[in-house]
Structure formats: C-alpha cells, structure tokens
Amino acid sequence: MSEKKKKIVIQPYQGRKLLSREEAEDEWRSLRDAIDQIYQKKSSQLSFEILYRSAYNLVLDKHGELLYSGVKDSLTGRFVAIGEQVAKTPDAQLLETLSGKWSEQKVILSTVKDILMYMDRTYATPRKVRTHRQPKASRFSERHKK
C-alpha cells in the first residue's frame, strides 16, 4: 500500500475591504461617541482595542483627515464648554475650579491620546500638524487665557 502525499495549499491573504466614505463616517461617529463617554467618565464600558483599531483603519484607508478634523472639532467644542463653565465661576473659587478642570482634562486627554496613537504617528506627524500626543496644555490654555 502506498500512501498518497497530500499537497499543502496555502491560500493567499484575502485582506480586508477598504472603508467607503459612509462606513468611515460611521466609524468616526462611533469614535466620537466613545470620546463623549470618556468625558462622561464611562470609559470602563469601552473596548480600547476596538477604538484603537477603528482609528487605525480610518487612517489606513485614507480617511485620516476625517478623523483628525473630527477629533479636533470635538475637543475644541469641549474646551469651549469648559471655558464657559470656568468663566462663570466666582472669583473666590476660580483657582480651585480651574485646577479641577485641568486635572480632569489631563486624565481624559491621556485616554483619548491612547486611542489616537496611530493617527498621530502616520497622519499628523508627516503633515506637520499638531498631534494629539503633544501637550494639550497649549490648546487648553490658549482657549482660557482670555
């Protein structure tokens, strides 16, 4: 009895489908909702692996500008709202309120930075635009110097 040799066939990598503009916008909306949850201190319910992968796929599929401008607009809107809250604070509590808001922002922005690491390295840095890894102090303080 002779045994027949089995031929091993290696299938080519199929890759994943590129995101269409509509799919990219859906991904961005889910990331925006995640940033909202981070600001609401509900980040324990989020999967950071999935969020990072979503940001990664957006940049990889040439939707980096959508992600970059969306994050920039979202954070700017948050900073404006915080500035308005701080501006309404009585003078006696101003330093305490500002310090508290600043401490919150450092934690929140650190979390957002972790999601956007790939975008910062491969989209923002080559284009010489401000990355989300750079200190947020400049944006926060620019917004609140007035």
Side-chain angles (χ1 to χ4, degrees):
M1 278 186 161
S2 66
E3 290 185 35
K4 290 185 180 181
K5 290 186 179 181
K6 290 186 178 182
K7 186 176 180 181
I8 298 175
V9 179
I10 299 174
Q11 298 294 323
Y13 176 69
Q14 293 299 317
R16 58 177 195 77
K17 179 181 97 154
L18 295 178
L19 294 173
S20 68
R21 181 68 181 181
E22 294 79 29
E23 292 168 327
E25 289 171 356
D26 288 342
E27 286 290 316
W28 159 242
R29 280 191 285 279
S30 69
L31 283 168
R32 185 189 59 214
D33 293 345
I35 291 171
D36 291 343
Q37 285 187 331
I38 292 168
Y39 265 92
Q40 295 167 9
K41 298 180 177 89
K42 296 179 183 175
S43 62
S44 64
Q45 301 168 359
L46 300 172
S47 168
F48 287 93
E49 178 185 351
I50 292 172
L51 296 173
Y52 178 87
R53 192 176 319 129
S54 293
Y56 172 86
N57 288 336
L58 282 170
V59 174
L60 193 64
D61 293 349
K62 309 295 185 213
H63 298 289
E65 177 59 33
L66 171 69
L67 178 61
Y68 183 84
S69 61
V71 170
K72 182 180 174 185
D73 293 345
S74 178
L75 293 179
T76 300
R78 293 286 183 173
F79 295 155
V80 168
I82 291 167
E84 291 169 356
Q85 290 174 355
V86 170
K88 293 176 183 175
T89 304
D91 290 344
Q93 290 128 5
L94 182 62
L95 280 177
E96 183 180 334
T97 301
L98 190 57
S99 176
K101 293 291 183 187
W102 176 240
S103 294
E104 285 177 16
Q105 287 304 300
K106 288 193 302 186
V107 171
I108 290 168
L109 294 172
S110 175
T111 305
V112 171
K113 172 195 72 148
D114 291 342
I115 297 168
L116 302 173
M117 283 189 293
Y118 185 78
M119 182 193 72
D120 287 341
R121 277 195 318 266
T122 59
Y123 178 80
T125 302
R127 288 165 180 76
K128 295 183 176 28
V129 294
R130 179 178 278 161
T131 68
H132 293 86
R133 285 183 298 173
Q134 291 172 333
K136 303 300 186 278
S138 60
R139 275 192 228 155
F140 188 80
S141 61
E142 283 172 10
R143 222 31 241 163
H144 298 57
K145 281 184 181 177
K146 299 174 184 176

